[in-house]
Each structure stands twice: as C-alpha cells, then as structure tokens.
C-alpha cells in the first residue's frame, strides 16, 4: 500500500466530525448563518455562546492567522529560490505558478495566482454563470426545472411549475423558484449535472438511502442550493481572481477540468451527507454540518498530491 493510499484512507476519518472545526473560522461563512427555513425559527432556541466557546473561536482565528503567515513565507522563499538559483525561465520557475506577495505589503490576500489563458477563460465563464440569478419567468429556467424533475423521477408524471409535488424533491413550497435566493441559476445547473454525471449517488441522496436517517431530514433540493452558495464563497469566486488557498488550488483543478466546479459540487454534496450521518444530525443542525463539510473540503484541497478533482479523497465516496 502506497503512502498516498494510506493517507487517503486515514483522511476519511475526518468525516466523523470530531476534528472538523479545528481550522474553521466562523467569520468566513456569515452568509451561511441563515437556516434553511429562516422564517420559521424560534430565536429563543438559539444557544448563547459561553466564554469557553469565545476563547475557542479566538484560538482558531490565531491558528489560521499563523498558518497564513507561514504559508506566505514558504511561497516567498520558493519563488526567491527559483528566481535566484535557476532563473525566471527555468523548469522549476514554470512549476511554481503562484507569484509571491507584493513587496509593498498593500496586498493582504494570501496568494496571487498567475493564470494561463485557458484558466482565465474558464474562470471568466464560471463567474458569468455565478452572476445569473434564477428567473422563473424565463423559458430556459423553467425548462431546466422540468429537466431536473425528469432526471429525479423518470417514472413519474411532470407536475406543473407550481405544485405541492415539488416538495417531494426537497423544495420548501409549491413554487421552487422562491428557494434559489443567493444560489442563482447555477445551483439548478449543479443539481442537473449531479443527476446526469453521477445518477446512482444522486438517487441515493435524493431518496436518503444511506445510513440511519433522522426523523427531520434536510430537504434535498434546498440543501443543494446552499452547497452551491457555500462553494462560491469558499473558493473566493466572487472577487475577480481568487487568492485564498482553496481558491488558488481550485484554479489548478480548473485548468484540468472545465467542469471542476460542478464536479466539486457533487463531491461536496456527498461529503455533506456523510457528515450528516456521522453526526446523527437533524434539520436544525444543517448549517453546522455544512460548515464541517466546508472545513473538510478545504483540508482536502490543501493536500499536496491533489492535481485533479478525482485526486480528492472524498471523490471515492462519490463513485464507490
């Protein structure tokens, strides 16, 4: 058994949720703080943070800060070594696509990626997709909803665009168009891609076939919208050129796979469901599970031997 295989098998131990919050900065996912049914939440049931929790948050922030500092120093040293010893045109220089931070200190981001024309084009196309809101009055968007139903339930009759039957898929009401909110049209595209590319996994999650399920399960479709939104935030895709560690690593995956975002979405969905089962979670804990999923996904993206989406350890859960 190779070292790489051993590490991947051990890495799946993260799914039990016991270590998922070690590197998580809760301030980075404020947009995910709204529960799936925010209008039906009783504020009195929300726990008040205790002093110990506040100290834990502060320690996590300090840990992330120093991790960023050390990563910055390593990137600067590697770039200096390549430029001074072997020159800017050397093989090693071409293998270091990440330029060092600006010397004047005006850039407070972790990394500045240097993109190939192919990466630039694919990033631009992805960001254009992210900018398209869902519009229930557009025929293209209506057709996409119908396509999703046919993929999810090939043996059932297609309902009207406003029907109580849409709740079977995990939409909150009879009109799915009201559930997209910040997810946009791409979240519907992600669900369709999932159903087409990995139909077995899609059907398992849709019908909650794996494990012992909670009495109050997460709604499948709305969870998918939340995952699309979480990924866009995590990968820093809404700020021009991503410069966070996860965003930069994603750009490397994008060079290999034009549909890297959609494939990563499918992995994240499968990973979220595994976290859900491991934590024995119920509906009100969905956001905590989503945060743990983000933490695990960021950890996997930081692994040295990840060059394509298929190299991610969690990809095995999707295809297994």
């Amino acid at each position: 058994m190779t070292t790489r295989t051993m590490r991947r098998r051990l890495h799946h131990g993260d799914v039990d949720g016991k270590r998922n919050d070690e590197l998580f900065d809760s301030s980075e996912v404020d947009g995910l703080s709204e529960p799936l049914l925010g209008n039906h939440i009783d504020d009195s049931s929300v726990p008040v943070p205790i002093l110990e929790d506040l100290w834990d948050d502060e320690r996590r922030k300090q840990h992330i800060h120093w991790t960023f500092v050390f990563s910055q120093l390593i990137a600067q040293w590697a770039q200096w070594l390549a430029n001074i010893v072997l020159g800017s045109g050397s093989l090693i220089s071409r293998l270091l696509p990440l330029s060092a931070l600006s010397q004047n200190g005006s850039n407070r981001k972790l990394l500045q990626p240097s993109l190939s024309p192919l990466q630039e084009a694919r990033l631009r196309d992805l960001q254009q997709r992210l900018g398209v809101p869902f519009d229930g009055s557009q025929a293209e968007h209506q057709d996409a909803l119908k396509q999703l139903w046919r993929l999810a339930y090939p043996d059932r009759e297609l309902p009207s665009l406003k029907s109580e039957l849409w709740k079977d898929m995990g939409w909150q009401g009879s009109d799915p168009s009201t559930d997209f909110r910040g997810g946009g049209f791409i979240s519907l595209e992600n669900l369709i891609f999932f159903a087409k590319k990995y139909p077995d996994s899609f059907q398992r999650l849709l019908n909650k076939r794996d494990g012992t399920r909670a009495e109050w399960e997460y709604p499948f479709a709305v969870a998918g919208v939340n995952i699309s939104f979480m990924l866009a935030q995590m990968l820093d895709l809404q700020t021009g050129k991503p410069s966070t560690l996860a965003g930069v690593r994603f750009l490397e995956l994008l060079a290999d796979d034009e549909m890297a975002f959609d494939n990563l979405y499918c992995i994240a969905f499968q990973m979220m469901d595994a976290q859900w089962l491991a934590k024995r979670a119920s509906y009100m804990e969905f956001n905590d599970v989503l945060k743990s999923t983000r933490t695990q996904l960021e950890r996997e993206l930081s692994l040295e031997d990840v060059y394509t989406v298929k190299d991610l350890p969690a990809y095995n859960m999707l295809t297994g």
Side-chain angles (χ1 to χ4, degrees), residues 210-283:
D210 294 339
T212 302
R213 313 306 306 198
E215 287 189 19
W216 199 5
E217 276 288 323
Y218 66 84
F220 174 82
V222 177
V225 174
N226 277 261
I227 290 172
S228 296
F229 181 63
M230 179 272 288
L231 277 181
Q233 278 196 327
M234 183 191 79
L235 300 176
D236 196 24
L237 293 174
Q238 299 163 324
T239 58
K241 187 182 294 185
S243 54
T244 61
L245 180 58
V248 170
R249 292 307 303 273
F250 170 74
L251 292 177
E252 297 173 9
L253 304 183
L254 196 61
D256 175 77
D257 179 10
E258 182 178 8
M259 304 303 292
F261 183 85
D262 301 77
N263 278 304
L264 197 60
Y265 168 88
C266 300
I267 293 173
F269 212 139
Q270 182 69 64
M271 184 185 291
M272 184 277 295
D273 190 72
Q275 291 273 359
W276 179 272
L277 293 173
K279 292 175 177 290
R280 299 180 180 179
S282 186
Y283 179 88

Side-chain angles (χ1 to χ4, degrees), residues 24-35 229 233 287 291 294:
F24 176 73
D25 181 358
S26 61
S27 65
E28 295 181 358
V29 288
D30 291 340
L32 300 176
S33 61
E34 180 184 355
F229 181 63
Q233 278 196 327
N287 284 324
K291 291 174 183 178
R294 171 173 173 159

Side-chain angles (χ1 to χ4, degrees), residues 28-57:
E28 295 181 358
V29 288
D30 291 340
L32 300 176
S33 61
E34 180 184 355
L36 292 176
L37 287 175
N39 294 333
H40 299 277
I41 300 300
D42 181 4
D43 291 340
S44 63
S45 65
V46 178
V48 178
I50 60 175
L51 184 59
E52 182 180 354
D53 293 334
L54 297 177
W55 276 110
D56 287 342
D57 288 342

Side-chain angles (χ1 to χ4, degrees), residues 98-297:
L98 307 178
S99 62
L101 292 175
S102 58
Q103 297 301 316
N104 60 16
S106 60
N107 189 348
R108 296 183 181 274
K109 289 288 189 177
L110 177 61
L111 298 167
Q112 287 183 335
S114 178
L115 305 183
S116 67
L118 179 62
Q119 287 172 302
E120 290 274 9
R122 289 180 173 177
L123 175 61
R124 184 168 55 252
D125 291 343
L126 177 56
Q127 289 175 329
Q128 288 177 350
R129 291 176 62 197
L130 288 166
V132 178
F134 181 85
D135 186 350
S137 66
Q138 288 193 24
E140 178 186 359
H141 294 195
Q142 294 175 1
D143 290 341
L145 265 178
K146 295 175 183 178
Q147 182 184 15
L148 177 62
W149 178 274
R150 293 189 182 98
L151 289 167
Y153 306 113
D155 299 325
R156 294 177 61 178
E157 183 179 353
L158 176 68
S160 63
L161 291 176
K162 292 184 179 181
S163 168
E164 293 294 316
L165 293 176
W166 286 101
K167 294 181 180 180
D168 294 349
M169 193 186 295
W171 302 103
Q172 296 182 79
S174 60
D175 183 3
S177 65
T178 62
D179 285 333
F180 286 97
R181 293 179 296 205
F185 184 58
I186 194 172
S187 58
L188 178 54
E189 292 180 319
N190 290 153
L191 284 167
I192 292 173
F193 179 89
F194 192 7
K196 286 183 173 181
K197 186 70 178 290
Y198 308 101
D200 292 341
S201 179
F202 178 88
Q203 288 293 334
R204 288 200 311 270
L205 299 188
L206 171 65
N207 296 295
K208 307 294 184 1
R209 293 174 182 167
D210 294 339
T212 302
R213 313 306 306 198
E215 287 189 19
W216 199 5
E217 276 288 323
Y218 66 84
F220 174 82
V222 177
V225 174
N226 277 261
I227 290 172
S228 296
F229 181 63
M230 179 272 288
L231 277 181
Q233 278 196 327
M234 183 191 79
L235 300 176
D236 196 24
L237 293 174
Q238 299 163 324
T239 58
K241 187 182 294 185
S243 54
T244 61
L245 180 58
V248 170
R249 292 307 303 273
F250 170 74
L251 292 177
E252 297 173 9
L253 304 183
L254 196 61
D256 175 77
D257 179 10
E258 182 178 8
M259 304 303 292
F261 183 85
D262 301 77
N263 278 304
L264 197 60
Y265 168 88
C266 300
I267 293 173
F269 212 139
Q270 182 69 64
M271 184 185 291
M272 184 277 295
D273 190 72
Q275 291 273 359
W276 179 272
L277 293 173
K279 292 175 177 290
R280 299 180 180 179
S282 186
Y283 179 88
M284 294 301 295
E285 299 168 287
F286 176 81
N287 284 324
D288 291 334
V289 172
L290 195 60
K291 291 174 183 178
S292 296
T293 302
R294 171 173 173 159
T295 300
Q296 184 185 350
L297 195 56

